[in-house]
Amino acid sequence: MKRLLRRNETLVAITLVVLCLVIGLNNPTFFTVGTVFTLLRGSIVTGIFAMGVLIVIISGGIDVSFTAIGVFALYSTVKLMLAYAPDASIWVAFSIAGLIGLGLGLINAFFIAKFKLPTLIVTLGTLSMFHGFLLFAIGNQIIRDVPPALTEFARATVIEIPQARGTANLHPAVFLLVAVAILMWILLRYTMLGRGIYALGGAPEAAERAGFNVTRIQYFIYGFVGLLSGVAGMTFGGLARQANPQDIVGMELNVIAAVVLGGAYLTGGRGTVIGTLLGVILVVIANNSLILIGVPTVWQRVVIGLIILIGTGIPAIQERRAGKITSGLAEA
Amino acid sequence: MTNAFLRLTGISKSFAGVQALRDVDLTIERGRVHCLVGENGSGKSTLIKIIAGVYQRDTGEYVIDGKNLARLQPIDAIREGVQVIYQDFSLFPNLTVAENIALNEEVAEGRRWVNWQQVRNVAADALAQIEVNIPLDVTVGEVSVANKQLIAVAKAMRQNARLIIMDEPTTALTEREIRALFSVLRKLQERDGVAFLFVSHKLDEVLSISEKIIVIRNGKTVSEGERDEYDRARLVYDMTGHSITEKSYDFEPDLSQPPLLKVENLNAEPMLNDINFELRAGEIVGVTGLLGSGRTELALALYGMQPIKSGRITIDQKPVDLRSNRDAIAHGIGYVPEDRLSEGLFLEQSIAKNVVVRTIESLRGSLGLTDPAKISGQVSQWVDALRIKTADPALPVNTLSGGNQQRVVLAKWLASNPKVMILNGPTVGVDVGSKEELHNLMKKLAGEGMGLLVISDDIPELLGTCNRILLMRNGTIVEEINTKETNENKISSKLIED
Ligand SMILES: Nc1ncnc2c1ncn2[C@@H]1O[C@H](COP(=O)(O)OP(=O)(O)OP(=O)(O)O)[C@@H](O)[C@H]1O
Ligand SMILES: [Mg+2]
């Protein structure tokens, strides 16, 4: 029981339940299928991005360029489709976006693995490089006349439940997030590659001594994050039914916050898929539903900041209490 | 000697101008326990890295199991059964005990998928083989240093170790843990014929566990022989080139002067309870007790790093409020922590910068700029006083040997000239010769009016340097002992009684 309580997932889950109760008791419309479906729809993009960020953080790195990769992949894919294959299916759209994302991710990997540069520096650089290149060389106008495949995608629905006012629809892309999450869970838990990612985040030198090919692991991580970001970017455009080169960039902090709230350590080595999903839902609720209990929009960022401070602060304090009063001694 | 497993002859190695090893000979015999001793910076760790293939030797012969190997990579050494357990143990703090043990094999076998049942079986097997019991499902970050060491040993045995090398394995262990470790190792020696090579600065330990001893000084083998050929005096002589006799510290406190530091009815987190004592200028007071007795917590409380619940602390007769280490430093309290290597150095920065980092403010010249002449004056003063063995203080700290890195931490704190200096295990990992020098330095500082509080479980050290010894148990001081009226046996038996 004590172990269970100490686990981060438990803490996030409790916070989540409390937050839902507070919102729901103040505004009963919160507890409706409609709200649930809307929140789920709102979690898809953040969730897919978060899965990518999760493996980077577990490996001891950080990636802030994923939003630029996402919007780059989305916008270029839409432009390519409009120019060459306006009637291609949504699967083609996702494949192209994924490949573009993969390519950009490998650029990150190259700088990180080859030159051993700090991951934050590299991805801060590529964040503005990718975005700048997109705006300057590919286009800076919002595309509203998207290929029909995207329009269909936006309207797609798997479950329809009649409500007092209109119907509640569940978008099929929720299953995309579920599939990505299951894939990640298997990768992290049951493959040596996944264990190598944890090992790298826990003790990089020891990982090398143990025989892991660290360079190859890093190429995988940043390439895979790129691919996921491309897919997430495409999903975003599909749901929004437009390709706006100014979208997505700016979401970095929300996504990273979700992952960290879900129990991943920014110092690397720790983090789980379940925790991350909980963190994503928490952030999405905080972003979308605080307004239901009268928190004005401008205050939402403050509340999210507070949740992050509390959510990540409590485990850190607990750990320090447990006897690790080490840090801080060197720097008085 | 047909029983030689590994024979090194005429090994030398230099690093950019520093001759770390010159003409070293060493023979490791199958199934025997060897100890490698020598002063700080004499080349022990370098020699071990050459045996492991981590460093390439410049000259010399390396014959293992009858094979003469020209070049050697770490993987070759591992194939020959050489396993080195480094001080960081090469473990993953975020992974479970089971996974840590099994991981190397899984990687070596080129697996793609993880079979968790098999991971547990491998780990359980490995621990059973060395006959120890450690829970498999906790993360390694949560287990004690002693257990980490055993996990590293279990891993080494899984890889068919025939020689296990451990560089200062006992520095972070308690008495009881040391006994447990050696009983495991002895079993492996008897049952599996594994040979061991230890590095240690604790001479009593060397004499009690080893069968063969190798002494090196300044990168050269001075002597190599059976344990029976050595006693403490010969070890000290071979290591340092002269003999050492320590005098006890004779200081009569001036009772008319008020105490420098006075602690009354101190209660503090997590377990300190009703602590009372005084420290006068010029005194060296020892604090001892078993691990968990609260001795480190006391130091931390006085350094403002543990919340104080109640009680009074006065310095120079003025009550002080110690809420953080900043407060403590402002009131003239300095603290050299136990775990110096991870707590106090900027390893990539120069020795000089590390020494002056705390005092840089006081070294400013007339324009408020740092004065290079003053800085280098202070640096060379401390490099000399502490005998830091380096070619040039401008070199980064990580080129120093382990013991010399520790001296840099001491220098950094001593340079800031506090009124009260708390030293936690000041000579852990320091060789005998330098230990004496450090003790003399402590006495000199006390003579100049500093008050020193020395935490240590090295009883002879306390007897040789302190006026009084405070014995702690369960978070409180149970007895104050005058060093003139006691001896090592008396204190040791007091330590273990309950
Ligand atoms: N990477 C390096 N670059 C430059 N000099 C080095 C390097 N490693 C070791 N040395 C030097 O080689 C000498 C031997 O160092 P080594 O670490 O082998 O000593 P040691 O016997 O292990 O000492 P200790 O007891 O303090 O651990 C020292 O003078 C040290 O400064
Ligand atoms: Mg050493």
Side-chain angles (χ1 to χ4, degrees), chain B residues 39-41 43-46 48 87 167-168 199 201 400-403:
Chain B
E39 294 189 297
N40 294 137
K44 302 178 299 292
S45 299
T46 307
I48 286 174
Q87 265 162 339
D167 197 352
E168 303 191 35
V199 172
H201 288 293
L400 291 177
S401 77

Side-chain angles (χ1 to χ4, degrees), chain B residues 214-233:
Chain B
I214 303 112
V215 185
I216 65 175
R217 189 198 314 156
N218 277 329
K220 263 194 193 136
T221 310
V222 180
S223 67
E224 186 173 5
E226 293 295 314
R227 149 75 180 85
D228 298 340
E229 300 164 25
Y230 291 87
D231 59 11
R232 195 181 164 89

Side-chain angles (χ1 to χ4, degrees), chain A residues 3 6 186 189-192 195 198-199 202-203 206-207 209-212 269-270 325-326 328-332, chain B residues 86 88 90-95 99 103-104 106-107 111-114 116 142 303 306 325 329 343 346 358:
Chain A
R3 285 188 79 79
R6 262 200 4 227
I186 293 172
R189 175 116 191 109
Y190 289 105
T191 68
M192 279 312 286
R195 302 320 291 171
Y198 278 101
R209 275 187 221 151
F212 282 111
R270 281 164 217 253
I325 326 166
T326 50
L329 262 185
E331 278 315 274
Chain B
Y86 295 99
D88 68 354
S90 297
L91 296 175
F92 302 96
N94 57 327
L95 304 182
E99 193 171 13
L103 200 62
N104 280 39
E106 293 176 273
V107 175
R111 289 176 172 279
R112 280 169 192 275
W113 297 92
V114 183
W116 286 99
E142 294 170 75
Y303 191 55
Q306 290 282 15
N325 50 354
I329 291 167
E343 296 285 355
F346 302 100
R358 306 210 69 87

Side-chain angles (χ1 to χ4, degrees), chain B residues 12-87:
Chain B
S12 54
K13 171 76 186 171
S14 63
F15 300 100
V18 181
Q19 191 77 31
L21 296 176
R22 59 193 105 198
D23 207 16
V24 170
D25 299 336
L26 168 110
T27 306
I28 301 285
E29 293 172 29
R30 281 173 222 282
R32 300 194 76 196
V33 175
H34 307 68
C35 274
L36 177 61
V37 297
E39 294 189 297
N40 294 137
S42 55
K44 302 178 299 292
S45 299
T46 307
L47 184 58
I48 286 174
K49 287 182 183 149
I50 285 177
I51 297 177
V54 173
Y55 289 164
Q56 298 301 322
R57 60 191 187 273
D58 298 340
T59 62
E61 235 179 39
Y62 187 112
V63 182
I64 191 163
D65 217 7
K67 290 183 288 273
N68 195 332
L69 300 184
R71 279 187 65 83
L72 182 87
Q73 295 297 324
I75 187 74
D76 304 320
I78 291 170
R79 261 189 217 121
E80 296 297 337
V82 176
Q83 286 283 333
V84 182
I85 298 175
Y86 295 99
Q87 265 162 339

